[in-house]
Amino acid sequence: MSPLLKTKDLRIEFRNDDGIWAEALCGVDLSLDPGEVLGIVGESGSGKSIAMMALLQLLPRGARVSGSARFKGQELIGMPPARIRQLRGKSIGCVFQDPLSAFNSVLRIGDQIAEAITLHDRSMSKRDALKEAERLFELVAIPQPAKRIRQYPHEFSGGMRQRAMIAMALANRPELLIADEPTTALDVTVQAQILDLLRDLRKDLGIGMVLITHDLGVVAGIADKIAVMYGGRIVERGTTDDVFYHTAHPYSAGLIGAVPSLDGTGKLQQIDGTPPSIFNRPSGCSFHPRCSQVEEICRMQTPELESVGETDCACHLPLVTRDAKVAE
Amino acid sequence: MLAYILRRLISIPFLLLGVASVSFLLSQMTKGDPLAALVPERMMSNPEIVAAVKAEWGLDQPLPIRYVRYLGNLLQGDMGTSFSTRRPVALDIAERLPATLELVIAAMIIGTFMGLALGLLSARFRGTIVDSVARIFALLGSSLPVFWSGLILLYVLSVQLRIVPGTGRLPPRVQPPPDVTGFYTIDALLAGNFPLFLQVLSHLALPAFVLGWAVTGIITRLVRSSLVEGLSLDYARTARAKGAPERIVLIRHALPNAMIPLLTILGFTFAYLITGAVLTEAIFSWPGIGSYAVRAAASLDYPAIGGVTIVGAVAFLLANLVTDIAYAWANPRIKVH
């Protein structure tokens, strides 16, 4: 089976006010099969969102993108604007973090969803597109769709707005859904409902998803595989189970330790310090200033992503081999 | 909504009472002597004549009496008699207001359309030569004084190139259309006199453009900055992610959002121009409120000053009301109670 999405050495550079270029994404390889769910996990600034925005050429002006990203074999990087527009919203749908600001506040929700349809299907009338919007509202379980499509974004609750946003992203039955922090702006209980909805959609529609989040708990129940990002690189990559149960990278381990568990056993861990700015990256492994197990080599040399135990991990001293050493 | 409009309308007379009082008191506090306009200079030394004139115009009465009398007359629509034209102020204004309104409305239409077009162009092609040209044109409009740009254009287009006619609302010795609305354009059309309509229009074109150019400057800058901001916001990214081309993101998404601040400026500018078109009116010999106000102020013509002030106040109050209504219509987040 050919992959739905495959990136190779994807790099993004930004320039600061002094005209200095810096890499925000330092060569990322990802791959996603049709119908698969990939969770990209990392703190803000790790490069997880911009990597996905780069695929659709939605980065702010002035960003420099290189490397390769293929969607069903078509190269997305450097694709002419007219062709990438045909993919946006048609083959690749997007859900954004804050549905209040992501919707246009002066246009009715139904019209905004209908627009997503008519932009790609000129033959569809506005009236038919609104009918379709109603049907989509039923799909994402928004009650009273006929009434709701005539309302404005501010008349929706946060959870309902995100459902509407998902409905809009699904309007043209895309093969890939990119969800950028889809639950972050929502209440915890609503978060769970939205995740349930995404899980159901994935099951019913067989849609491939990239779920971007800073919260490992969000991807745990839905993703097939996980990529953990730090400082513009993938530091650990593997199936969801392997990343959780055979964690190799100290950063992933820190993130897992920072997820509260329901049984309340064990102290909630934290990772000290803050993520580095792209204009001021530490030498060697960019995680080394925050790593509790740092050694000399970590300051000198950037580790490569390679197969370690059950997962791929970019660390000089992955936890699995360390355990083995201890055992010896 | 209806109740809201009604409540606002009811408040207008009270606000006008305040405006009338303040304008009355302020004009009484000025140092100048209105007698200078009423009594020929060589008769100033004759106390009998001065006393008679004072009595005739009610200037011999104490301030509170004059104040109450003024307000009483105002309630009946009587703004007093102008010292200089010796005609009722209300009549003077009624004759001149349509000329100003016609000029200002034409200028607002020109300014709004040019401002929107230039704002859209410079936002769409920001950073390019199109943007620079549009912005320079807009900047010139808002920074060149009207008396300068008006004179130059009048000289070049009318005197040298003879593309447009000279000053005034109509050529000398041409009869205006029968008075219905006081707007020569509309009255000419109502009279079915199309050639006259074209003549009126050609006379209106240059002063309306000069005044509209000044408005264009304000509107272009506002529209451009609102649009550029809008294009960087999340909703614009969402629209792009749906596959919308930049043109649609701009017109269907950013523009409706830019209309909200624009409405406020439009209402305010319109009201301001009713009494603020003085310079344009002076240069183009336009028989409007502005030139009337200047003459009234220069000759301490209290009743005329008061009349113009009240007209200006009414213009502001109505423009504010219309702006608020339009605002609620353009911005669905506003609920009017």
Side-chain angles (χ1 to χ4, degrees), chain A residues 35 138-140 170 173 196-207 209:
Chain A
E138 278 164 22
L139 180 73
V140 297
L170 295 176
R173 303 161 192 278
D196 283 343
L197 173 67
L198 288 176
R199 229 186 323 259
D200 291 347
L201 290 172
R202 185 248 169 127
K203 199 169 67 200
D204 299 343
L205 307 177
I207 187 172
M209 274 187 218

Side-chain angles (χ1 to χ4, degrees), chain B:
Chain B
M1 190 70 188
L2 214 64
Y4 170 76
I5 297 173
L6 217 63
R7 225 170 31 236
R8 289 283 301 266
L9 283 173
I10 290 169
S11 73
I12 286 181
F14 296 97
L15 291 163
L16 283 180
L17 177 71
V19 170
S21 306
V22 171
S23 97
F24 178 82
L25 289 175
L26 278 178
S27 55
Q28 297 299 325
M29 277 157 58
T30 50
K31 288 255 164 57
D33 185 357
L35 280 178
L38 293 171
V39 186
E41 211 169 322
R42 59 194 161 76
M43 292 182 185
M44 278 297 236
S45 51
N46 187 332
E48 278 177 36
I49 290 180
V50 170
V53 170
K54 271 191 171 178
E56 188 197 336
W57 292 90
L59 293 170
D60 55 342
Q61 302 291 325
L63 191 68
I65 302 276
R66 276 189 285 159
Y67 174 63
V68 171
R69 205 181 272 174
Y70 176 68
L71 288 185
N73 288 339
L74 211 52
L75 278 181
Q76 300 161 35
D78 178 4
M79 296 176 167
T81 305
S82 161
F83 292 168
S84 40
T85 66
R86 314 274 162 135
R87 283 154 34 101
V89 171
L91 196 65
D92 279 349
I93 289 181
E95 264 181 26
R96 289 164 162 272
L97 190 59
T100 295
L101 281 176
E102 189 167 44
L103 173 64
V104 169
I105 289 172
M108 289 298 292
I109 292 172
I110 293 174
T112 308
F113 272 97
M114 289 209 308
L116 273 174
L118 290 176
L120 277 165
L121 274 176
S122 67
R124 176 70 184 85
F125 300 104
R126 62 190 177 284
T128 68
I129 183 86
V130 177
D131 185 16
S132 308
V133 170
R135 290 169 80 184
I136 288 171
F137 181 79
L139 186 70
L140 285 179
S142 52
S143 50
L144 286 182
V146 167
F147 57 80
W148 190 83
S149 58
L151 274 181
I152 298 286
L153 286 174
L154 195 59
Y155 177 74
V156 173
L157 296 179
S158 176
V159 180
Q160 291 292 328
L161 300 175
R162 298 178 182 281
I163 296 173
V164 294
T167 58
R169 296 179 82 183
L170 275 175
R173 284 185 297 281
V174 170
Q175 279 296 312
D179 188 17
V180 183
T181 61
F183 286 55
Y184 282 6
T185 44
I186 296 175
D187 288 351
L189 285 179
L190 287 179
N193 191 341
F194 198 68
L196 182 65
F197 170 74
L198 289 180
Q199 254 183 332
V200 170
L201 214 55
S202 68
H203 271 259
L204 181 61
L206 191 55
F209 173 78
V210 167
L211 197 57
W213 192 12
V215 177
T216 302
I218 310 166
I219 294 176
T220 304
R221 274 190 297 181
L222 181 82
V223 169
R224 183 188 185 277
S225 65
S226 309
L227 289 177
V228 167
E229 193 207 340
L231 287 179
S232 71
L233 293 181
D234 283 359
Y235 68 74
R237 183 182 60 178
T238 308
R240 292 187 193 109
K242 285 195 285 191
E246 209 53 23
R247 173 175 44 87
I248 289 197
V249 179
L250 190 70
I251 290 172
R252 214 184 282 166
H253 290 271
L255 189 59
N257 283 280
M259 293 311 284
I260 297 167
L262 179 64
L263 284 171
T264 319
I265 295 289
L266 285 182
F268 178 82
T269 309
F270 180 79
Y272 169 76
L273 286 184
I274 296 292
T275 52
V278 184
L279 293 170
T280 314
E281 290 187 2
I283 285 165
F284 290 95
S285 311
W286 203 260
I289 287 287
S291 43
Y292 185 69
V294 172
R295 209 173 56 206
S299 60
L300 283 181
D301 190 345
Y302 295 158
I305 295 174
V308 172
T309 310
I310 287 170
V311 168
V314 171
F316 263 97
L317 291 173
L318 289 181
N320 269 338
L321 177 62
V322 172
T323 305
D324 286 352
I325 294 167
Y327 206 86
W329 166 79
N331 189 348
R333 279 165 297 183
I334 292 184
K335 279 240 166 60
V336 186
H337 296 292

Side-chain angles (χ1 to χ4, degrees), chain A residues 53 58 61 85 88-89 92 94 96 101-107 112 115-116 119-120 152 154 165 168, chain B residues 126 234-235 237-246 248 252-254 256-257 260 330-333 335:
Chain A
M53 291 303 105
L58 286 175
R61 289 178 171 210
R85 275 205 300 273
R88 290 179 187 162
I92 306 177
C94 277
F96 297 106
S101 63
F103 272 116
N104 194 332
S105 59
V106 302
L107 304 177
Q112 299 189 51
E115 185 192 22
L119 273 171
H120 294 284
Y152 289 95
H154 71 272
M165 177 59 70
M168 188 157 83
Chain B
R126 62 190 177 284
D234 283 359
Y235 68 74
R237 183 182 60 178
T238 308
R240 292 187 193 109
K242 285 195 285 191
E246 209 53 23
I248 289 197
R252 214 184 282 166
H253 290 271
N257 283 280
I260 297 167
N331 189 348
R333 279 165 297 183
K335 279 240 166 60

Side-chain angles (χ1 to χ4, degrees), chain A residues 277-319:
Chain A
S277 147
I278 64 165
F279 294 103
N280 190 20
R281 284 248 167 82
S283 62
C285 170
S286 48
F287 184 61
H288 86 250
R290 301 173 71 187
C291 187
S292 55
Q293 353 229 323
V294 59
E295 288 190 14
E296 196 50 38
I297 185 171
C298 305
R299 297 195 184 86
M300 315 288 290
Q301 217 179 328
T302 308
E304 297 292 325
L305 188 64
E306 51 200 11
S307 178
V308 175
E310 306 297 322
T311 69
D312 297 337
C313 173
C315 182
H316 294 298
L317 305 153
L319 298 173

